[in-house]
């Protein structure tokens, strides 16, 4: 039959028919309650946890950002601050306690450039706590490498007066990797927390750009070095306790060094310095609030000595009689690490989550089906309604191999009852006989 004949004889309703599945309704409240409980649990999981809590409709990316820090010395006219000028200064009349192991040195009241030394760089700033320096006079020519040997006098050591009460303004911004999403610090809100989740210092957002770029905003968002150390204090799941909340002279544990340093005193931040990592984690994945960026600031103290060695002036002629200074600056290095996640609405991501939800619903239906046919008390009654069985085609093949002519008629296409299927057998060379198999 050609294409033209087929086009004349075909039925358009059969050609463009729609195939679907026939569903069986088991009228049993116990099965219905189990099925609905599964579906409600899946819907709650998808809507509340995946969509609302985890932002399943968002395309997430790791943010990029910049950060800089500026420092302001503490207000030394404040009587509370003056009361902290304690025993570590030997140019005060406060005697050290008998249990103190710290070596006392004179204290110096530095300005901003004296405390934040060397000058801060992008994301890094050293808060100087102790300085040792000596003035060297050359008595020979440095270019005479075989015979030039000049005296090196003892260093003069001084503490910085109350560096922990200096305030630090952290000016940070965040942007998406493609640069389409940028937020400055005054456009965000957040807080500083310690490692146990306790609030240490809040950072509210500014009302507008004018307020955000004003000195008033910077002052309200400045955090003291003391508060940063307080956020880094606590056990935090570590075996060794690093505690520098109130006093920089509190001994701390250094796993890479001896219990005492070269000066014969226990390690402490005021004498030996350390590294304080400030972690800023950004997030905007709250329910359809993509423009509302918040940050969570935390701090971790790395127990290691930190110092910067410098020479002034940097360039020497090396001739006899020339003077230069050698300086060792111990301090607390503040290092900022920016992390977190930024999200934007993405239809493909939403479609993947919805597909997963439909898969879970299908799994729920499979579980209920297995309960109905294998666990429920009336499982023997559920099976005939849930499953339709055909004739045994092995018997039909055997009949055909014996030369019987086989005709199969389905008297009711929509019936699920196997008895409506009739098998007619005809013997070759005769009228044949008819039989039915139920």
């Amino acid at each position: 039959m050609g294409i033209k004949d087929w086009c004349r004889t075909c039925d358009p309703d059969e050609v463009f028919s729609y195939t679907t599945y026939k569903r069986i309704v088991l009228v049993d409240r116990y099965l219905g309650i189990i099925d609905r409980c599964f579906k409600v649990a899946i819907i709650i999981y998808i809507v509340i946890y995946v969509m609302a809590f985890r932002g399943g409709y968002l395309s997430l990316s790791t943010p990029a950002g910049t950060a800089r820090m500026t420092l302001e010395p503490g207000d030394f006219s404040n009587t509370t601050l003056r009361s902290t000028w304690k025993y570590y200064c030997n140019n005060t009349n406060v005697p050290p306690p008998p249990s103190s192991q710290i070596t006392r040195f004179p204290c110096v009241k530095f300005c901003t450039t004296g405390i934040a030394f060397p000058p801060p760089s992008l994301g890094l700033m050293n808060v100087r706590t102790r300085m040792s320096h000596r003035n060297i006079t050359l008595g020979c020519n440095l270019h005479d490498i075989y015979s030039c040997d000049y005296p090196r006098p003892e260093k003069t050591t001084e503490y910085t007066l109350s560096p922990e009460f200096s305030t630090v303004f952290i000016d940070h911004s965040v942007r998406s990797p493609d640069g389409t999403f940028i937020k400055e610090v005054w456009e965000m809100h957040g807080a500083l927390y310690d490692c146990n989740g306790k609030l240490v210092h809040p950072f509210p957002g500014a009302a507008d750009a004018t307020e955000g770029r004003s000195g008033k905003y910077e002052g309200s968002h400045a955090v003291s070095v003391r508060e940063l150390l307080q956020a880094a204090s606590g056990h935090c799941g570590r075996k060794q306790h690093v505690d520098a909340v109130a006093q920089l002279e509190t001994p701390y544990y250094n796993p890479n060094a001896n219990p005492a340093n070269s000066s014969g005193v226990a390690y402490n931040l005021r004498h030996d310095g350390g590294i304080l990592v400030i972690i800023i984690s950004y997030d905007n994945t709250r329910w359809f609030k993509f423009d509302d960026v918040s940050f969570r600031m935390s701090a971790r103290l790395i127990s290691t000595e930190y110092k910067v060695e410098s020479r002034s002036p940097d360039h020497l002629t090396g001739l006899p009689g020339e003077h230069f200074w050698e300086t060792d600056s111990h301090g607390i290095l503040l290092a900022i690490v920016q992390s977190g996640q930024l999200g934007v609405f993405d239809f493909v991501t939403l479609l993947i989550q919805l597909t997963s939800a439909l898969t879970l619903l299908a799994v729920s239906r499979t579980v209920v089906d297995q309960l109905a046919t294998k666990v429920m008390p009336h499982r023997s009654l559920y099976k005939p309604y849930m499953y339709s069985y055909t004739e045994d085609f092995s018997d039909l093949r055997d009949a055909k191999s014996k030369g019987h002519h086989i005709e199969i008629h389905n008297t009711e296409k929509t019936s699920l009852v196997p008895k409506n299927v009739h098998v007619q057998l005809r013997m070759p060379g005769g009228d044949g006989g008819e039989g039915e198999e139920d």
Side-chain angles (χ1 to χ4, degrees):
M1 183 174 62
I3 297 178
K4 293 183 178 180
D5 297 333
W6 179 83
C7 291
R8 285 194 298 266
T9 58
C10 71
D11 186 356
D13 290 330
E14 292 186 0
V15 174
F16 299 103
S17 61
Y18 169 70
T19 303
T20 185
Y21 297 97
K22 185 173 183 178
R23 304 184 65 180
I24 306 300
V25 179
L26 297 177
V27 186
D28 190 321
R29 62 177 178 272
Y30 297 117
L31 282 177
I33 291 174
I34 295 174
D35 178 61
R36 282 159 179 76
C37 287
F38 274 116
K39 290 180 178 178
V40 169
I42 291 173
I43 292 174
I44 292 176
Y45 168 78
I46 294 296
V47 175
I48 296 180
Y49 179 72
V50 176
M51 294 297 181
F53 182 72
R54 293 187 54 190
Y57 53 92
L58 299 175
S59 176
L60 302 177
S61 60
T62 302
T66 57
R68 68 178 182 89
M69 290 175 282
T70 56
L71 182 138
E72 187 71 22
D75 184 8
F76 297 111
S77 63
N78 188 298
T79 56
T80 303
L81 180 57
R82 292 178 68 89
S83 66
T84 63
W85 301 353
K86 293 188 177 180
Y87 53 85
Y88 60 89
C89 303
N90 65 5
N91 54 347
T92 64
N93 47 6
V94 180
S99 60
S100 174
Q101 301 182 41
I102 192 169
T103 303
R104 303 177 73 199
F105 294 109
C107 289
V108 179
K109 187 188 297 184
F110 284 115
C111 60
T112 299
T113 55
I115 300 176
F117 182 86
S121 58
L122 196 64
L124 296 172
M125 184 172 68
N126 178 42
V127 180
R128 182 159 59 179
T129 59
R130 179 173 68 91
M131 178 181 68
S132 300
H133 56 88
R134 58 187 163 199
N135 187 6
I136 299 176
T137 302
L138 294 179
C140 56
N141 193 327
L142 288 179
H143 298 91
D144 188 357
I145 59 177
Y146 293 102
S147 61
C148 182
D149 186 15
Y150 53 90
R152 301 170 67 86
E154 290 293 328
K155 290 183 178 180
T156 301
T157 302
E158 298 164 328
Y159 282 131
T160 302
L161 182 60
S162 299
E164 65 269 33
F165 288 93
S166 301
T167 55
V168 179
F169 174 65
I170 303 176
D171 185 7
H172 56 100
S173 62
V174 65
R175 67 181 184 276
S176 58
D178 57 2
T180 58
F181 186 89
I182 301 176
K183 286 290 183 180
E184 298 184 40
V185 60
W186 59 267
E187 298 177 286
M188 300 178 285
H189 59 91
L192 172 66
Y193 296 90
D194 66 9
C195 59
N196 299 314
K198 182 180 178 181
L199 176 65
V200 178
H201 190 97
F203 300 102
D208 50 36
T210 303
E211 179 185 347
R213 297 186 176 94
S214 66
K216 178 181 177 182
Y217 175 80
E218 292 187 7
S220 64
H221 278 63
V223 58
S224 68
V225 177
R226 181 187 177 98
E227 288 176 311
L228 292 173
L229 291 172
Q230 187 177 2
S233 301
H235 293 276
C236 303
R238 294 172 290 182
K239 293 183 179 180
Q240 296 295 338
H241 185 199
V242 178
D243 191 358
V245 176
Q247 306 295 337
L248 294 185
E249 56 271 13
T250 302
Y252 69 82
Y253 173 77
N254 187 346
N256 300 317
N258 296 323
N261 59 19
S262 58
S263 301
V265 297
Y267 276 88
N268 59 79
L269 292 176
R270 193 176 304 280
H271 188 275
D272 302 290
I275 299 176
L276 188 65
V277 181
I278 303 171
I279 305 168
I280 307 176
S281 180
Y282 303 93
D283 182 72
N284 73 329
T285 59
R286 285 170 301 281
W287 188 255
F288 286 102
K289 292 184 178 180
F290 312 129
D291 199 52
D292 183 18
V293 181
S294 64
F295 61 90
R296 183 185 181 92
M297 188 180 297
S298 58
R300 295 293 182 270
L301 181 63
I302 300 178
S303 304
T304 183
E305 182 181 9
Y306 180 79
K307 70 175 181 178
V308 178
E309 298 178 345
S310 61
R311 185 184 66 185
S312 178
D314 295 333
H315 303 285
L316 298 175
T317 61
L319 299 177
E322 189 172 12
H323 299 269
F324 66 93
W325 288 88
E326 283 185 350
T327 305
D328 293 341
S329 297
H330 287 78
I332 303 171
L333 178 65
L334 305 182
I336 295 179
V337 176
Q338 295 172 281
S339 63
Q341 57 184 9
L342 295 178
V344 294
F345 178 79
D346 184 70
F347 180 75
V348 175
T349 304
L350 176 62
L351 189 61
I352 293 174
Q353 298 297 337
L354 293 178
T355 304
S356 302
L358 294 177
T359 303
L360 289 176
L361 292 175
V363 171
S364 169
R365 184 179 298 111
T366 302
V367 171
V368 175
D369 286 348
Q370 294 300 315
L371 291 175
T373 57
K374 293 182 172 58
V375 177
M376 298 298 289
H378 296 151
R379 54 185 178 274
S380 59
L381 300 177
Y382 297 149
K383 283 186 178 180
Y385 293 100
M386 297 176 64
Y387 300 101
S388 176
Y389 296 92
T390 65
E391 291 292 336
D392 189 344
F393 286 92
S394 298
D395 295 340
L396 301 181
R397 283 190 293 269
D398 292 340
K400 186 176 181 180
S401 63
K402 294 177 182 179
H404 298 289
H405 180 72
I406 303 173
E407 292 183 4
I408 301 177
H409 304 282
N410 191 343
T411 58
E412 186 179 352
K413 292 184 179 180
T414 60
S415 175
L416 294 177
V417 183
K419 291 184 178 181
N420 291 326
V421 178
H422 299 268
V423 179
Q424 185 180 36
L425 303 178
R426 291 183 180 179
M427 300 297 293
D431 295 334
E434 293 186 0
E436 292 186 0
E437 293 186 5
D438 293 334

